[in-house]
Amino acid sequence: MATLEKFSEIWARACERKGGPAIVNSLLPDTLSAEEISEYSDAQLLSVISKRVFQSGFVWRVVDNKWPAYEKAFFDFEPMKVLMLSPDQIQQRASDPTLIRHQKKTQAIVDNAYMIQQINAEQGSFAEFIANWPTDDITGLWQVLKKRGARLGGNTGPYFLRAIGKDTFLLSQDVQAYLTAHKVVDAGFTSKTALRQTQAAFNHWQQESGKSLAEISRVISLGVGDNRV
C-alpha cells in the first residue's frame, strides 16, 4: 500500500474544484451522536433499512413515492407485526401493484425484522448496538449487517447507516476511484483485505483532521471524478 496523501492536500483539492472552503463545508454530511441514534425505535430502523434495500438498483424517487403505501402494508414496520405475516400475505404484498413487485426485496423486510429481533434478544437494543459500535471499525458493522441481515451487502448497509446519522464513509464510485488511483488498496473492494486497508486509511485521516468519516468521504468525492455525492 502506498504512502497516504495528507488530508490537507485532499481538502485543498476539493476546495479548488468546488470554489472554496465555505462551499465544501456546506456540502458536508451531518452525523448524530450515539445518544441520538440510540433513541430510534425498531420500527424506524426497519423502515430505513427496507427503503435502502428497495432503493438499491432502483429509482429512488419511485421508492420514496411508494413508501407511504409500504408503511401501511407493513404495519408501520413494527418488527413483531411484520414477523406475523404468513407466506401467503408476504406473496400478496410482493405482487401488489401499489407497491414494488419484487419477491426477494419484499421477503427482505421480514428477514431484517427477524435480524432486529435477534440482536435485541442478544444485545438488549438494536439501536444501541448500532449507536455504540466504534467508528474506527465501521466496516466491521458493515459485515455484521451483511451477514445477519438480508440484501445489506455492498453499499446498502453503509447507506442505511448514513441515513440514520451513524458516522461512516461510503465506497462511492469516486471514493473507490481515489483509493485505487492512490494505491490505498491492493485488492477488490468486496474483500476483507480492501476493507481493512480502507478503514485504516480513513482512521488515519480522521486522526489527522478531526473530521468525521462521513465528512472525509464526502471531501474525497468532491475532489475527484464526477463529484458524485
Side-chain angles (χ1 to χ4, degrees):
M1 187 170 69
T3 301
L4 290 178
E5 184 180 25
K6 291 182 179 180
F7 183 76
S8 58
E9 297 172 353
I10 299 172
W11 172 263
R13 185 165 52 249
C15 290
E16 181 179 0
R17 294 194 70 181
K18 303 308 292 186
I23 294 176
V24 171
N25 278 317
S26 73
L27 296 171
L28 298 184
D30 294 323
T31 55
L32 299 181
S33 68
E35 291 75 13
E36 290 171 316
I37 293 171
S38 68
E39 294 177 357
Y40 281 113
S41 69
D42 291 339
Q44 288 174 314
L45 294 174
L46 181 58
S47 178
V48 178
I49 287 174
S50 302
K51 180 180 279 190
R52 289 297 175 265
V53 167
F54 274 93
Q55 287 177 330
S56 178
F58 207 76
V59 179
W60 285 30
R61 181 181 67 258
V62 173
V63 178
D64 288 340
N65 290 340
K66 287 182 175 288
W67 213 245
Y70 272 94
E71 298 279 0
K72 181 178 180 180
F74 287 92
F75 315 109
D76 292 323
F77 289 98
E78 291 289 346
M80 285 297 293
K81 293 181 180 179
V82 170
L83 290 171
M84 293 177 67
L85 289 168
S86 68
D88 285 345
Q89 290 173 317
I90 296 168
Q91 180 58 50
Q92 288 170 1
R93 285 158 173 76
S95 57
D96 188 337
T98 67
L99 304 176
I100 295 171
R101 297 176 181 177
H102 198 297
Q103 178 67 41
K104 291 182 178 179
K105 290 188 176 186
T106 302
Q107 180 62 45
I109 297 174
V110 181
D111 294 341
N112 287 323
Y114 180 74
M115 173 190 67
I116 290 172
Q117 292 298 88
Q118 287 297 102
I119 292 178
N120 278 338
E122 297 165 6
Q123 305 292 333
S125 166
F126 182 58
E128 291 184 4
F129 174 74
I130 293 174
N132 295 326
W133 191 281
T135 57
D136 62 2
D137 180 36
I138 199 63
T139 58
L141 183 53
W142 294 6
Q143 293 300 299
V144 170
L145 293 172
K146 177 182 178 181
K147 181 178 179 180
R148 303 197 59 174
R151 305 183 75 87
L152 293 177
N155 270 331
T156 305
Y159 270 116
F160 154 65
L161 295 175
R162 177 67 66 83
I164 64 170
K166 179 69 176 178
D167 188 19
T168 183
F169 54 85
L170 297 175
L171 290 176
S172 65
Q173 292 182 41
D174 285 334
V175 171
Q176 288 189 37
Y178 172 88
L179 296 174
T180 300
H182 288 261
K183 297 181 173 22
V184 175
V185 299
D186 54 19
F189 282 99
T190 58
S191 71
K192 291 182 179 180
T193 296
L195 292 179
R196 183 172 62 251
Q197 292 171 337
T198 302
Q199 181 78 68
F202 272 85
N203 290 349
H204 176 85
W205 287 321
Q206 185 173 48
Q207 292 172 5
E208 179 188 344
S209 67
K211 293 188 177 297
S212 68
L213 300 178
E215 290 174 327
I216 295 167
S217 179
R218 180 65 58 83
V219 172
I220 291 173
S221 293
L222 294 172
V224 300
D226 295 327
N227 287 206
R228 300 183 186 94
V229 296

